[in-house]
Amino acid sequence: LLRSISGGLNWTDCAEALNKVSWIWMYVFSAYMCVTYFAVLNVMTGIFCASAMENAQHDRELAVQSVLAEKHSFISSLETLFKEIDDDSDGWVSINDIEQHLAHPDVQAFFDALELETSDT
């Protein structure tokens, strides 16, 4: 039986030899082979599906982590920008401070890098 399942012996040869003894033994052996093959295939399919689902969950977690890291980086960049715009360091940024700094090309480039529009159109 083991050699038939593991590929060491052609199982049709075993079935033919058992048919010479009794046709019942041939059907029992054929049923055993079918059940064993289906059981092995179901286990392998289950392992594959579980692995695929685990990988999909891991990919989803990585995507969430990436978005959160990008959001944190964006917020940090904006905090840095507004600290630079706050000339008197009082923690407040007026519209005049913003208008003065938007005239500088490096501030405009920074806003462009953050994909924020600086023009009023």
Side-chain angles (χ1 to χ4, degrees), residues 63-80:
V64 167
Q65 287 177 354
S66 174
V67 167
L68 290 176
E70 195 172 306
K71 182 178 179 181
H72 179 69
S73 174
F74 185 79
I75 290 171
S76 177
S77 297
L78 281 177
E79 286 175 349
T80 303

Side-chain angles (χ1 to χ4, degrees), residues 38-85:
F38 285 124
V40 169
L41 287 175
N42 281 336
V43 168
M44 291 183 68
T45 302
I47 290 171
F48 174 76
C49 288
S51 175
M53 290 175 62
E54 184 178 313
N55 287 338
Q57 179 66 29
H58 185 66
D59 288 345
R60 193 174 311 136
E61 290 171 3
L62 286 176
V64 167
Q65 287 177 354
S66 174
V67 167
L68 290 176
E70 195 172 306
K71 182 178 179 181
H72 179 69
S73 174
F74 185 79
I75 290 171
S76 177
S77 297
L78 281 177
E79 286 175 349
T80 303
L81 174 68
F82 282 110
K83 284 179 185 176
E84 290 176 8
I85 291 176

Side-chain angles (χ1 to χ4, degrees), residues 2-40:
L2 177 65
R3 288 178 54 193
S4 295
I5 292 195
S6 64
L9 183 64
N10 190 350
W11 72 275
T12 55
D13 293 339
C14 290
E16 289 173 1
L18 287 172
N19 191 29
K20 291 179 183 175
V21 174
S22 172
W23 62 273
I24 294 174
W25 288 113
M26 183 194 72
Y27 284 114
V28 168
F29 179 73
S30 297
Y32 167 78
M33 291 300 294
C34 289
V35 167
T36 304
Y37 275 124
F38 285 124
V40 169

Side-chain angles (χ1 to χ4, degrees), residues 81-82 84-104 107:
L81 174 68
F82 282 110
E84 290 176 8
I85 291 176
D86 186 17
D87 289 331
D88 52 2
S89 299
D90 63 353
W92 294 92
V93 177
S94 69
I95 192 71
N96 292 333
D97 292 337
I98 292 174
E99 288 174 347
Q100 286 176 348
H101 282 84
L102 283 179
H104 297 287
V107 174

